[in-house]
Protein backbone atom coordinates (compact mmCIF):
# COMPACT_ATOMS: atom_id res chain seq x y z
CA UNK A 1 0.00 0.00 0.00
CA UNK A 2 1.42 3.40 -0.93
CA UNK A 3 1.91 5.93 1.82
CA UNK A 4 1.32 9.07 -0.26
CA UNK A 5 -1.78 9.54 -2.39
CA UNK A 6 -1.21 9.44 -6.14
CA UNK A 7 -3.31 12.59 -6.38
CA UNK A 8 -3.24 15.10 -3.53
CA UNK A 9 -6.40 17.15 -3.03
CA UNK A 10 -4.50 20.25 -1.91
CA UNK A 11 -1.07 21.68 -2.76
CA UNK A 12 0.12 25.05 -1.56
CA UNK A 13 3.09 27.08 -2.81
CA UNK A 14 4.08 30.06 -0.68
CA UNK A 15 5.89 32.20 -3.26
CA UNK A 16 3.83 33.55 -4.84
CA UNK A 17 0.96 32.26 -2.68
CA UNK A 18 -0.90 29.74 -4.84
CA UNK A 19 -3.37 27.06 -3.84
CA UNK A 20 -3.74 24.19 -6.30
CA UNK A 21 -6.90 22.17 -5.76
CA UNK A 22 -7.54 18.88 -7.50
CA UNK A 23 -10.91 19.42 -9.19
CA UNK A 24 -12.93 16.65 -7.56
CA UNK A 25 -15.99 17.49 -9.67
CA UNK A 26 -14.49 15.84 -12.73
CA UNK A 27 -12.88 12.75 -11.18
CA UNK A 28 -12.44 9.97 -12.07
CA UNK A 29 -12.69 10.84 -15.77
CA UNK A 30 -10.35 13.84 -15.74
CA UNK A 31 -7.46 14.98 -13.61
CA UNK A 32 -7.34 18.75 -13.61
CA UNK A 33 -6.60 21.44 -11.06
CA UNK A 34 -8.18 24.72 -10.07
CA UNK A 35 -5.75 27.44 -9.02
CA UNK A 36 -6.71 29.89 -6.26
CA UNK A 37 -4.73 33.00 -5.44
CA UNK A 38 -7.11 34.77 -3.01
CA UNK A 39 -9.66 34.12 -0.28
CA UNK A 40 -12.56 34.82 -2.65
CA UNK A 41 -11.62 32.23 -5.25
CA UNK A 42 -10.79 29.73 -2.50
CA UNK A 43 -14.28 30.27 -1.03
CA UNK A 44 -15.82 29.82 -4.49
CA UNK A 45 -13.90 26.56 -4.98
CA UNK A 46 -15.14 25.29 -1.60
CA UNK A 47 -18.73 26.34 -2.38
CA UNK A 48 -18.64 24.71 -5.82
CA UNK A 49 -17.19 21.49 -4.35
CA UNK A 50 -13.88 21.54 -6.21
CA UNK A 51 -12.54 20.49 -2.82
CA UNK A 52 -14.81 18.61 -0.41
CA UNK A 53 -14.77 16.62 2.79
CA UNK A 54 -14.72 18.40 6.15
CA UNK A 55 -10.97 18.25 6.96
CA UNK A 56 -9.89 19.14 3.41
CA UNK A 57 -12.24 22.11 3.38
CA UNK A 58 -10.65 23.32 6.64
CA UNK A 59 -7.13 23.05 5.20
CA UNK A 60 -8.10 24.82 1.96
CA UNK A 61 -9.78 27.62 3.94
CA UNK A 62 -6.65 28.01 6.09
CA UNK A 63 -4.53 28.67 2.99
CA UNK A 64 -7.23 31.00 1.64
CA UNK A 65 -7.02 32.98 4.88
CA UNK A 66 -3.24 33.17 4.56
CA UNK A 67 -3.55 34.49 1.01
CA UNK A 68 -5.93 37.16 2.34
CA UNK A 69 -3.34 38.08 4.97
CA UNK A 70 -0.62 38.48 2.35
CA UNK A 71 -2.72 40.74 0.14
CA UNK A 72 -3.98 42.70 3.16
CA UNK A 73 -0.42 43.27 4.41
CA UNK A 74 0.53 44.65 0.98
CA UNK A 75 -2.54 46.89 0.74
CA UNK A 76 -3.27 47.93 4.33
CA UNK A 77 -1.63 51.03 5.73
CA UNK A 78 -1.98 49.91 9.33
CA UNK A 79 -2.93 47.08 11.60
CA UNK A 80 -6.57 48.17 11.87
CA UNK A 81 -7.02 48.03 8.08
CA UNK A 82 -5.21 44.65 8.01
CA UNK A 83 -7.51 43.25 10.71
CA UNK A 84 -10.60 44.57 8.89
CA UNK A 85 -9.51 42.90 5.63
CA UNK A 86 -8.99 39.63 7.47
CA UNK A 87 -12.41 39.88 9.10
CA UNK A 88 -13.93 40.21 5.62
CA UNK A 89 -11.92 37.19 4.38
CA UNK A 90 -13.04 35.19 7.43
CA UNK A 91 -16.68 35.92 6.59
CA UNK A 92 -16.35 35.01 2.91
CA UNK A 93 -14.54 31.76 3.67
CA UNK A 94 -16.62 30.67 6.64
CA UNK A 95 -19.87 31.22 4.73
CA UNK A 96 -18.78 29.11 1.76
CA UNK A 97 -20.26 25.93 3.27
CA UNK A 98 -22.25 25.86 6.50
CA UNK A 99 -22.22 22.31 7.84
CA UNK A 100 -18.59 21.15 7.98
CA UNK A 101 -17.35 22.75 11.19
CA UNK A 102 -13.67 22.12 10.37
CA UNK A 103 -13.92 25.14 8.09
CA UNK A 104 -14.78 27.51 10.93
CA UNK A 105 -12.48 25.67 13.31
CA UNK A 106 -9.45 26.29 11.05
CA UNK A 107 -10.40 29.93 10.47
CA UNK A 108 -10.94 30.56 14.19
CA UNK A 109 -7.54 29.07 14.92
CA UNK A 110 -5.83 31.35 12.39
CA UNK A 111 -7.76 34.37 13.57
CA UNK A 112 -6.42 33.52 17.03
CA UNK A 113 -2.88 33.64 15.62
CA UNK A 114 -3.55 37.12 14.24
CA UNK A 115 -5.07 38.45 17.44
CA UNK A 116 -2.20 36.99 19.49
CA UNK A 117 0.26 39.10 17.44
CA UNK A 118 1.15 42.21 19.45
CA UNK A 119 0.08 45.57 18.03
CA UNK A 120 3.17 47.08 16.40
CA UNK A 121 4.58 43.79 15.17
CA UNK A 122 5.38 43.90 11.41
CA UNK A 123 2.52 42.65 9.23
CA UNK A 124 4.98 40.38 7.39
CA UNK A 125 5.67 38.63 10.67
CA UNK A 126 1.94 38.17 11.30
CA UNK A 127 1.58 36.65 7.82
CA UNK A 128 4.50 34.30 8.50
CA UNK A 129 2.86 33.14 11.72
CA UNK A 130 -0.43 32.53 9.88
CA UNK A 131 1.37 30.49 7.21
CA UNK A 132 3.17 28.42 9.87
CA UNK A 133 -0.14 27.59 11.50
CA UNK A 134 -1.95 26.87 8.21
CA UNK A 135 0.80 24.38 7.42
CA UNK A 136 0.52 22.95 10.94
CA UNK A 137 -3.22 22.43 10.43
CA UNK A 138 -2.48 20.42 7.27
CA UNK A 139 0.26 18.37 8.98
CA UNK A 140 -1.80 17.73 12.10
CA UNK A 141 -4.75 16.60 10.00
CA UNK A 142 -2.69 13.84 8.40
CA UNK A 143 -1.26 12.83 11.79
CA UNK A 144 -4.81 12.73 13.21
CA UNK A 145 -5.96 10.49 10.36
CA UNK A 146 -3.15 8.03 11.02
CA UNK A 147 -3.87 8.02 14.75
CA UNK A 148 -7.59 7.44 14.14
CA UNK A 149 -6.76 4.47 11.95
CA UNK A 150 -4.57 2.98 14.70
CA UNK A 151 -7.31 3.42 17.32
CA UNK A 152 -10.06 2.23 15.01
CA UNK A 153 -8.43 -1.14 14.32
CA UNK A 154 -9.64 -2.22 17.77
CA UNK A 155 -13.24 -1.94 16.50
CA UNK A 156 -12.91 -4.30 13.57
CA UNK A 157 -15.05 -7.40 14.14
CA UNK A 158 -12.95 -10.52 14.70
CA UNK A 159 -15.21 -12.62 12.50
CA UNK A 160 -17.76 -12.20 9.74
CA UNK A 161 -21.41 -11.79 10.72
CA UNK A 162 -22.50 -14.87 8.74
CA UNK A 163 -19.72 -17.12 10.06
CA UNK A 164 -18.05 -17.48 6.63
CA UNK A 165 -14.27 -17.35 6.32
CA UNK A 166 -12.52 -14.29 4.95
CA UNK A 167 -11.72 -10.68 5.67
CA UNK A 168 -14.05 -8.23 7.33
CA UNK A 169 -16.67 -6.63 5.03
CA UNK A 170 -17.08 -2.92 5.59
CA UNK A 171 -19.85 -0.75 4.16
CA UNK A 172 -18.74 2.84 3.60
CA UNK A 173 -20.69 5.99 2.70
CA UNK A 174 -19.49 9.12 0.88
CA UNK A 175 -15.77 9.89 0.63
CA UNK A 176 -13.49 10.09 3.62
CA UNK A 177 -10.12 9.30 2.07
CA UNK A 178 -6.98 11.20 1.08
CA UNK A 179 -9.07 13.46 -1.13
CA UNK A 180 -11.25 14.52 1.82
CA UNK A 181 -8.30 15.24 4.13
CA UNK A 182 -4.64 16.32 3.99
CA UNK A 183 -3.77 12.70 3.38
CA UNK A 184 -4.72 9.18 4.44
CA UNK A 185 -8.36 9.78 5.35
CA UNK A 186 -10.70 9.37 8.30
CA UNK A 187 -13.03 6.36 7.83
CA UNK A 188 -11.19 5.42 4.66
CA UNK A 189 -7.93 5.69 6.63
CA UNK A 190 -9.28 3.01 8.94
CA UNK A 191 -10.13 0.91 5.88
CA UNK A 192 -6.58 1.40 4.57
CA UNK A 193 -5.20 0.24 7.93
CA UNK A 194 -7.61 -2.71 7.99
CA UNK A 195 -6.45 -3.69 4.49
CA UNK A 196 -2.84 -3.38 5.62
CA UNK A 197 -3.58 -5.71 8.56
CA UNK A 198 -5.55 -8.15 6.38
CA UNK A 199 -5.52 -7.74 2.59
CA UNK A 200 -8.76 -9.74 2.38
CA UNK A 201 -10.62 -6.70 3.84
CA UNK A 202 -13.54 -5.95 1.55
CA UNK A 203 -15.54 -2.75 1.04
CA UNK A 204 -19.08 -2.12 -0.17
CA UNK A 205 -19.04 1.44 -1.49
CA UNK A 206 -22.30 3.38 -1.41
CA UNK A 207 -22.43 5.45 -4.60
CA UNK A 208 -23.66 8.34 -2.37
CA UNK A 209 -26.41 10.21 -4.16
CA UNK A 210 -26.69 12.82 -5.48
CA UNK A 211 -23.05 13.90 -6.01
CA UNK A 212 -21.72 10.34 -6.16
CA UNK A 213 -18.72 10.87 -3.88
CA UNK A 214 -18.62 7.10 -3.28
CA UNK A 215 -18.55 6.22 -6.97
CA UNK A 216 -16.34 9.07 -8.09
CA UNK A 217 -13.92 9.44 -5.19
CA UNK A 218 -13.97 6.49 -2.77
CA UNK A 219 -13.89 3.91 -5.55
CA UNK A 220 -11.13 5.95 -7.23
CA UNK A 221 -9.02 5.79 -4.07
CA UNK A 222 -9.75 2.10 -3.44
CA UNK A 223 -8.66 1.22 -6.98
CA UNK A 224 -5.39 3.08 -6.42
CA UNK A 225 -4.88 1.29 -3.11
CA UNK A 226 -5.79 -2.08 -4.60
CA UNK A 227 -8.47 -2.64 -1.96
CA UNK A 228 -11.16 -5.08 -3.04
CA UNK A 229 -14.58 -3.42 -3.31
CA UNK A 230 -17.98 -3.39 -4.97
CA UNK A 231 -19.89 -0.24 -5.82
CA UNK A 232 -23.56 -0.40 -4.79
CA UNK A 233 -26.53 1.92 -5.09
CA UNK A 234 -27.27 3.45 -1.69
CA UNK A 235 -30.55 1.58 -1.41
CA UNK A 236 -28.81 -1.83 -1.65
CA UNK A 237 -27.28 -1.41 1.80
CA UNK A 238 -30.25 -2.75 3.79
CA UNK A 239 -30.51 -5.82 1.57
CA UNK A 240 -26.81 -6.60 2.12
CA UNK A 241 -27.15 -6.15 5.87
CA UNK A 242 -30.21 -8.38 6.00
CA UNK A 243 -28.16 -11.10 4.26
CA UNK A 244 -25.41 -10.71 6.94
CA UNK A 245 -22.92 -9.58 4.30
CA UNK A 246 -21.87 -6.44 6.19
CA UNK A 247 -19.74 -6.73 9.35
CA UNK A 248 -19.21 -3.03 10.01
CA UNK A 249 -20.45 0.33 8.72
CA UNK A 250 -17.93 3.20 8.77
CA UNK A 251 -18.58 6.84 7.94
CA UNK A 252 -16.89 10.18 8.50
CA UNK A 253 -18.58 13.30 9.78
CA UNK A 254 -18.93 16.97 8.95
CA UNK A 255 -19.92 18.00 12.46
CA UNK A 256 -20.56 16.18 15.72
CA UNK A 257 -22.61 17.87 18.44
CA UNK A 258 -21.73 17.66 22.15
CA UNK A 259 -24.56 15.15 22.52
CA UNK A 260 -23.02 12.80 19.93
CA UNK A 261 -25.46 13.69 17.13
CA UNK A 262 -23.48 13.12 13.92
CA UNK A 263 -24.01 15.27 10.83
CA UNK A 264 -22.74 13.55 7.71
CA UNK A 265 -23.53 13.12 4.03
CA UNK A 266 -27.21 12.57 3.29
CA UNK A 267 -28.01 8.86 3.53
CA UNK A 268 -25.93 8.27 6.66
CA UNK A 269 -29.02 8.27 8.89
CA UNK A 270 -30.71 5.55 6.80
CA UNK A 271 -27.57 3.45 7.10
CA UNK A 272 -27.47 3.89 10.86
CA UNK A 273 -31.14 2.91 11.22
CA UNK A 274 -30.59 -0.16 9.09
CA UNK A 275 -27.38 -1.06 10.91
CA UNK A 276 -29.21 -0.95 14.25
CA UNK A 277 -32.07 -3.04 12.87
CA UNK A 278 -29.71 -5.73 11.55
CA UNK A 279 -27.25 -5.60 14.47
CA UNK A 280 -24.29 -4.21 12.49
CA UNK A 281 -21.85 -1.92 14.39
CA UNK A 282 -22.01 1.67 13.12
CA UNK A 283 -18.71 3.52 13.60
CA UNK A 284 -17.94 7.19 12.94
CA UNK A 285 -14.32 8.25 12.33
CA UNK A 286 -13.59 11.98 12.69
CA UNK A 287 -10.93 14.23 14.21
CA UNK A 288 -11.69 16.38 17.26
CA UNK A 289 -11.79 19.41 14.93
CA UNK A 290 -15.12 17.96 13.71
CA UNK A 291 -16.59 18.02 17.24
CA UNK A 292 -18.50 21.22 17.90
CA UNK A 293 -19.21 21.51 21.62
CA UNK A 294 -21.12 24.73 20.90
CA UNK A 295 -23.71 22.62 19.11
CA UNK A 296 -25.45 20.99 22.03
CA UNK A 297 -27.55 18.63 19.89
CA UNK A 298 -28.22 17.91 16.24
CA UNK A 299 -30.82 20.68 16.19
CA UNK A 300 -27.97 23.19 16.49
CA UNK A 301 -26.27 22.00 13.31
CA UNK A 302 -27.08 23.93 10.16
CA UNK A 303 -27.82 21.58 7.28
CA UNK A 304 -26.80 22.81 3.86
CA UNK A 305 -29.38 22.57 1.09
CA UNK A 306 -28.04 22.49 -2.43
CA UNK A 307 -29.39 23.26 -5.88
CA UNK A 308 -32.12 21.29 -7.71
CA UNK A 309 -29.81 20.37 -10.57
CA UNK A 310 -27.79 17.99 -8.35
CA UNK A 311 -30.88 15.76 -8.43
CA UNK A 312 -32.48 16.63 -11.75
CA UNK A 313 -29.26 16.63 -13.82
CA UNK A 314 -26.99 13.97 -12.29
CA UNK A 315 -24.68 14.04 -15.34
CA UNK A 316 -24.52 17.85 -15.46
CA UNK A 317 -26.54 20.59 -17.10
CA UNK A 318 -25.28 19.58 -20.54
CA UNK A 319 -27.12 16.26 -20.26
CA UNK A 320 -30.91 15.76 -20.35
CA UNK A 321 -32.82 16.14 -17.07
CA UNK A 322 -34.01 12.96 -15.37
CA UNK A 323 -37.12 14.69 -13.96
CA UNK A 324 -39.82 16.87 -15.49
CA UNK A 325 -38.93 20.56 -15.57
CA UNK A 326 -41.84 21.43 -13.25
CA UNK A 327 -40.83 18.95 -10.53
CA UNK A 328 -39.48 20.62 -7.41
CA UNK A 329 -36.74 19.04 -5.30
CA UNK A 330 -35.66 18.81 -1.68
CA UNK A 331 -31.88 18.40 -1.59
CA UNK A 332 -30.28 18.49 1.87
CA UNK A 333 -26.56 17.69 1.59
CA UNK A 334 -26.36 16.18 5.07
CA UNK A 335 -28.45 14.45 7.71
CA UNK A 336 -28.04 13.98 11.44
CA UNK A 337 -27.74 10.56 13.08
CA UNK A 338 -28.80 10.45 16.74
CA UNK A 339 -26.24 9.21 19.28
CA UNK A 340 -28.20 6.10 20.23
CA UNK A 341 -27.55 4.70 16.74
CA UNK A 342 -23.79 5.28 16.92
CA UNK A 343 -21.69 2.40 18.28
CA UNK A 344 -18.49 4.44 18.66
CA UNK A 345 -16.78 7.62 17.49
CA UNK A 346 -13.08 7.23 16.70
CA UNK A 347 -10.92 10.33 17.12
CA UNK A 348 -7.15 10.84 17.15
CA UNK A 349 -7.40 11.06 20.97
CA UNK A 350 -9.08 7.69 21.29
CA UNK A 351 -12.50 6.12 20.99
CA UNK A 352 -15.61 7.79 22.39
CA UNK A 353 -18.50 5.59 23.46
CA UNK A 354 -21.91 6.44 24.93
CA UNK A 355 -22.76 8.51 26.86
CA UNK A 356 -21.21 10.83 24.28
CA UNK A 357 -21.84 14.04 26.17
CA UNK A 358 -19.25 12.78 28.67
CA UNK A 359 -16.81 10.93 26.40
CA UNK A 360 -16.64 13.64 23.72
CA UNK A 361 -16.15 16.39 26.31
CA UNK A 362 -13.30 14.42 27.86
CA UNK A 363 -11.56 13.91 24.49
CA UNK A 364 -11.95 17.59 23.61
CA UNK A 365 -10.52 18.60 26.99
CA UNK A 366 -7.46 16.43 26.31
CA UNK A 367 -7.09 17.98 22.86
CA UNK A 368 -7.34 21.50 24.32
CA UNK A 369 -4.63 20.70 26.90
CA UNK A 370 -2.34 19.49 24.07
CA UNK A 371 -2.91 22.69 22.14
CA UNK A 372 -1.91 25.02 24.98
O1 LIG B 1 -20.47 17.51 0.55
P1 LIG B 1 -19.13 16.90 0.73
O2 LIG B 1 -18.65 16.13 -0.48
O3 LIG B 1 -18.09 17.89 1.19
O4 LIG B 1 -19.36 15.87 1.90
C1 LIG B 1 -18.35 15.06 2.35
C2 LIG B 1 -18.82 14.20 3.45
O5 LIG B 1 -19.93 14.26 3.92
C3 LIG B 1 -17.83 13.33 4.04
O6 LIG B 1 -18.32 12.05 4.28
C4 LIG B 1 -17.47 13.99 5.35
O7 LIG B 1 -16.99 15.27 5.11
C5 LIG B 1 -16.55 13.21 6.13
S1 LIG B 1 -14.99 13.85 6.02
C6 LIG B 1 -13.70 12.99 5.76
Amino acid sequence: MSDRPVFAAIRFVADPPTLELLDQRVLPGHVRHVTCVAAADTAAAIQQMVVRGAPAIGVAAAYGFYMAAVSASAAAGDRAAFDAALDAAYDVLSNSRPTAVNLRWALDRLRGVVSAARPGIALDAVCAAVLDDARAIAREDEAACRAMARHGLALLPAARADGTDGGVRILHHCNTGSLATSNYGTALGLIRAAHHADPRTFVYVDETRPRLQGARLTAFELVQENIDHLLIVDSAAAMLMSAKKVDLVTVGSDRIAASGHVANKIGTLSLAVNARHFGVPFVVVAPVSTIDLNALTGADIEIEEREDSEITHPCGLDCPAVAPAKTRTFNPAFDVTPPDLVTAIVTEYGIARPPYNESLAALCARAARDFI
Side-chain angles (χ1 to χ4, degrees):
M1 189 182 8
S2 65
D3 206 39
R4 307 303 308 177
V6 179
F7 300 106
I10 299 170
R11 287 192 201 287
F12 184 73
V13 176
D15 191 16
T18 311
L19 180 63
E20 287 263 300
L21 298 173
L22 179 64
D23 189 346
Q24 300 191 28
R25 298 169 301 181
V26 296
L27 287 173
H30 303 277
V31 175
R32 78 172 186 220
H33 290 83
V34 170
T35 302
C36 303
V37 294
D41 55 16
T42 306
I46 293 171
Q47 199 283 328
Q48 291 160 17
M49 296 177 73
V50 172
V51 58
R52 74 269 295 265
I57 291 173
V59 172
Y63 287 125
F65 189 82
Y66 167 67
M67 292 191 288
V70 171
S71 56
S73 77
D78 57 24
R79 177 67 186 265
F82 177 79
D83 286 350
L86 284 189
D87 282 348
Y90 177 98
D91 288 344
V92 169
L93 286 162
S94 64
N95 289 327
S96 55
R97 291 198 72 187
T99 305
V101 75
N102 307 60
L103 173 61
R104 194 150 304 166
W105 171 87
L107 293 169
D108 284 341
R109 180 164 151 173
L110 294 187
R111 194 141 82 161
V113 169
V114 174
S115 45
R118 284 177 285 103
I121 192 168
L123 295 182
D124 283 359
V126 183
C127 290
V130 170
L131 178 58
D132 277 355
D133 208 43
R135 286 186 162 140
I137 287 171
R139 263 195 325 272
E140 289 165 20
D141 178 53
E142 179 177 344
C145 288
R146 291 177 187 277
M148 288 186 279
R150 283 194 299 275
H151 293 305
L153 284 175
L155 296 172
L156 295 181
R160 287 181 164 189
D162 58 2
T164 55
D165 282 339
V168 70
R169 298 156 306 181
I170 301 173
L171 195 149
H172 178 272
H173 193 64
C174 200
N175 179 46
T176 64
S178 297
L179 296 173
T181 59
S182 280
N183 185 22
Y184 205 75
T186 58
L188 210 63
L190 171 56
I191 289 172
R192 287 159 68 120
H195 172 77
H196 193 59
D198 181 351
R200 298 172 308 166
T201 301
F202 182 85
V203 188
Y204 290 109
V205 181
D206 265 1
E207 61 174 353
T208 315
R209 291 264 164 170
R211 293 292 292 241
L212 301 176
Q213 287 91 336
R216 289 176 171 281
L217 307 176
T218 299
F220 180 72
E221 293 202 34
L222 291 175
V223 166
Q224 288 174 39
E225 296 292 335
N226 216 8
I227 299 176
D228 199 8
H229 62 282
L230 282 175
L231 181 65
I232 59 169
V233 295
D234 299 349
S235 42
M239 182 261 208
L240 285 169
M241 289 187 212
S242 76
K244 293 196 179 303
K245 289 187 180 297
V246 178
D247 307 309
L248 179 72
V249 176
T250 61
V251 296
S253 175
D254 292 82
R255 195 186 309 205
I256 300 172
S259 53
H261 284 84
V262 173
N264 193 48
K265 182 53 56 192
I266 191 75
T268 303
L269 173 59
S270 308
L271 273 185
V273 171
N274 284 317
R276 171 55 52 91
H277 182 78
F278 292 111
V280 180
F282 180 89
V283 169
V284 177
V285 186
V288 291
S289 53
T290 301
I291 302 169
D292 180 6
L293 294 181
N294 293 319
L296 297 184
T297 75
D300 297 320
I301 298 177
E302 183 181 348
I303 298 297
E304 176 181 13
E305 283 188 37
R306 295 192 65 94
E307 57 270 22
D308 302 341
S309 60
E310 287 191 346
I311 299 180
T312 58
H313 293 73
C315 297
L317 289 170
D318 295 339
C319 293
V322 296
K326 285 191 177 158
T327 294
R328 296 181 303 132
T329 70
F330 171 53
N331 186 20
F334 304 96
D335 56 29
V336 176
T337 298
D340 53 300
L341 297 180
V342 178
T343 309
I345 299 175
V346 181
T347 76
E348 68 273 42
Y349 283 88
I351 298 175
R353 292 189 183 271
Y356 289 111
N357 53 354
E358 291 171 15
S359 55
L360 292 177
L363 289 177
C364 289
R366 275 187 51 203
R369 278 198 298 276
D370 258 19
F371 191 64
I372 288 167

